[in-house]
Amino acid sequence: MTEALGAFPPTEPPDQEAIFRRIAEALTRDGYALVPDAIDLNLLQALRARIEHLGADDFVPAGIGRAQEQMKNEFVRRDEIHWLERSDPTEAQWLAWVDALRDYLNRRLFLGLFSYEAHFAHYAPGAFYKRHVDAFRGEANRILSTVLYLNDGWQHADGGQLVLYPENGLEPLAKVDPVMGTLAVFLSEEFPHEVLPAARHRFSIAGWCRVNTSTADRVDPPR
Ligand code: OGA
Ligand code: MN
């Protein structure tokens, strides 16, 4: 691209625009994007401080599937979660970041992403999430998964990697260390994935962009 005098400045900060562009290009090419240093350090630290502020009592064992608390299954997943709300200013900042990404992807890729839901997740040492998909084909619900990692000084030897698999394969496509500021984005229906057990406490924000499945007599419920 050539710089023209008098060109309009970009409407978004250039680094964020560049991150969004990288995600869009990787999604188009591969169906997933793994982006280190995706997020401003101030926001990362605020999110991490928010987790410390919340404390253990605010996290509940995660269920399997939407709104199915009774189907908690400790053989499948052992993480504990706290849903983000716009009423908290820090949580709202992350939701706003994804809103901007969602708008960008809708304009570039015509994905029709309608809403976003996200939770903090805490994996205590030894906790895991076995291979699963975040959405099932035809249920047109969760379209795009995001995971932002919030762990300072994470070493590969600490474990806790996100392992992404091809739709019908056992050979991993990628293993992602849950390092502070790394963002993983992938098509929810296409990529089975798992979280390996870690030696340390592991914190992240997992979230899903959804299409609108409301009908006249049923308002699409979040979560
Ligand atoms: C999930 C999930 C991955 C991770 O919450 O559905 O797959 O790396 N999380 O935390
Ligand atoms: Mn998942």
Side-chain angles (χ1 to χ4, degrees):
M1 198 180 84
T2 53
E3 292 284 326
L5 280 176
F8 290 100
T11 50
E12 288 156 326
D15 54 342
Q16 177 167 304
E17 175 86 18
I19 297 282
F20 289 176
R21 193 181 320 119
R22 274 181 68 184
I23 292 170
E25 287 168 1
L27 283 176
T28 304
R29 192 181 58 235
D30 304 321
Y32 66 93
L34 307 173
V35 190
D37 302 320
I39 315 298
D40 181 76
L41 201 56
N42 290 320
L43 178 52
L44 291 175
Q45 282 165 353
L47 290 166
R48 183 61 205 222
R50 177 67 184 149
I51 288 172
E52 309 297 339
H53 178 81
L54 281 169
D57 287 352
D58 298 302
F59 282 75
V60 297
I64 298 168
R66 297 170 66 238
Q68 294 181 30
E69 286 301 305
Q70 72 280 11
M71 279 188 62
K72 287 175 192 127
N73 186 339
E74 61 182 16
F75 296 106
V76 176
R77 66 188 295 190
R78 295 266 176 97
D79 57 325
E80 299 174 321
I81 63 167
H82 176 92
W83 289 97
L84 273 64
E85 303 284 354
R86 287 187 198 267
S87 53
D88 176 79
T90 305
E91 296 176 15
Q93 274 188 70
W94 174 245
L95 297 172
W97 195 95
V98 179
D99 283 347
L101 172 63
R102 196 159 51 89
D103 284 350
Y104 183 93
L105 295 177
N106 281 341
R107 276 184 274 118
R108 277 274 309 250
L109 307 181
F110 310 105
L111 287 173
L113 304 172
F114 177 76
S115 64
Y116 180 69
E117 59 192 358
H119 60 60
F120 289 116
H122 168 222
Y123 291 73
F128 53 79
Y129 194 163
K130 292 270 169 66
R131 180 176 163 134
H132 65 280
V133 286
D134 288 344
F136 294 101
R137 284 197 187 283
E139 289 186 9
N141 184 4
R142 290 174 166 178
I143 299 297
L144 200 66
S145 301
T146 67
V147 194
L148 173 65
Y149 299 103
L150 298 170
N151 305 291
D152 259 326
W154 195 273
Q155 304 293 312
H156 187 71
D158 293 329
Q161 283 83 20
L162 167 70
V163 186
L164 276 187
Y165 295 96
E167 190 161 15
N168 297 306
L170 296 175
E171 202 56 45
L173 290 168
K175 293 188 182 182
V176 185
D177 287 314
V179 171
M180 188 72 140
T182 292
L183 177 67
V185 183
F186 54 91
L187 295 173
S188 303
E189 292 179 346
E190 273 187 33
F191 297 96
H193 54 282
E194 71 177 316
V195 178
L196 301 179
R200 292 175 49 187
H201 291 276
R202 175 193 193 271
F203 292 97
S204 58
I205 301 175
W208 300 271
C209 293
R210 307 170 63 216
V211 290
N212 186 8
T213 52
S214 298
T215 56
D217 58 356
R218 177 175 159 276
V219 177
D220 195 19
R223 295 175 197 174

